Amino acid sequence: MASDQKIDQTILLATERYKRGNFACLPIVREDLHLVCDLDILFLRRENPGSLISGGGDLDNRLKVLFDALRVPQDDNEVRGLEPADQDERPLFCLTEDDRLITGFRCTTDRLLEPADSEIDQNNVRLIINVEVKATKLTPENMGYFSHF
């Protein structure tokens, strides 16, 4: 078997348990790999500095939505009516298997100076997220994540 075919087969097997609707999801941080992660988030928004509660939603709710978006959908209902745009979206890579694998985060807010294209875009934000993946137990399966040491 050619190496590309072997890789494709491995990915297919890994995504089988994370199939949601028409999406074959593949989380990077998974419990079976004994991995967790910390996030360092730079949250750029158009509100004035210090305006943590605004028309765009308070920061707590926005972070909860972000954490939900970074995980594998919990069930088919979360992707109902959605289709992958093309084959390049297979698998759909997700950061975590479950948002409880995010063990810590730091969020810094600042002003997004770029003007909105329209009034609808006024509440859009820009995020810069650094992820630190950590092993809770070193195993042969997760050593590839840490091969740079």
Side-chain angles (χ1 to χ4, degrees), residues 28-95:
I28 297 166
V29 175
R30 301 194 321 250
E31 192 167 13
D32 65 328
L33 292 176
H34 304 281
L35 299 175
V36 294
C37 66
D38 287 346
L39 307 178
D40 187 1
I41 305 163
L42 175 57
F43 195 109
L44 300 172
R45 57 205 171 80
R46 290 189 176 87
E47 291 97 8
N48 290 324
S51 301
L52 293 180
I53 299 175
S54 67
D58 64 41
L59 189 59
D60 288 350
N61 287 336
R62 286 179 169 191
L63 288 173
K64 176 63 177 144
V65 169
L66 171 65
F67 293 171
D68 286 346
L70 293 174
R71 67 164 166 73
V72 171
Q74 290 179 331
D75 55 41
D76 290 348
N77 287 329
E78 289 190 10
V79 292
R80 187 178 353 157
L82 300 175
E83 296 286 331
D86 56 45
Q87 287 296 92
D88 289 342
E89 289 187 12
R90 293 178 192 212
L92 174 63
F93 287 96
C94 302
L95 177 61

Side-chain angles (χ1 to χ4, degrees), residues 85-133:
D86 56 45
Q87 287 296 92
D88 289 342
E89 289 187 12
R90 293 178 192 212
L92 174 63
F93 287 96
C94 302
L95 177 61
T96 65
E97 175 181 33
D98 189 295
D99 57 7
R100 65 185 166 75
L101 297 175
I102 300 172
T103 57
F105 71 94
R106 176 177 180 258
C107 184
T108 304
T109 64
D110 209 341
R111 186 98 190 248
L112 178 59
L113 300 176
E114 177 182 69
D117 292 333
S118 67
E119 190 172 326
I120 288 177
D121 295 335
Q122 187 60 37
N123 289 327
N124 288 356
V125 299
R126 175 136 326 136
L127 302 175
I128 299 170
I129 305 172
N130 289 308
V131 179
E132 180 183 3
V133 176

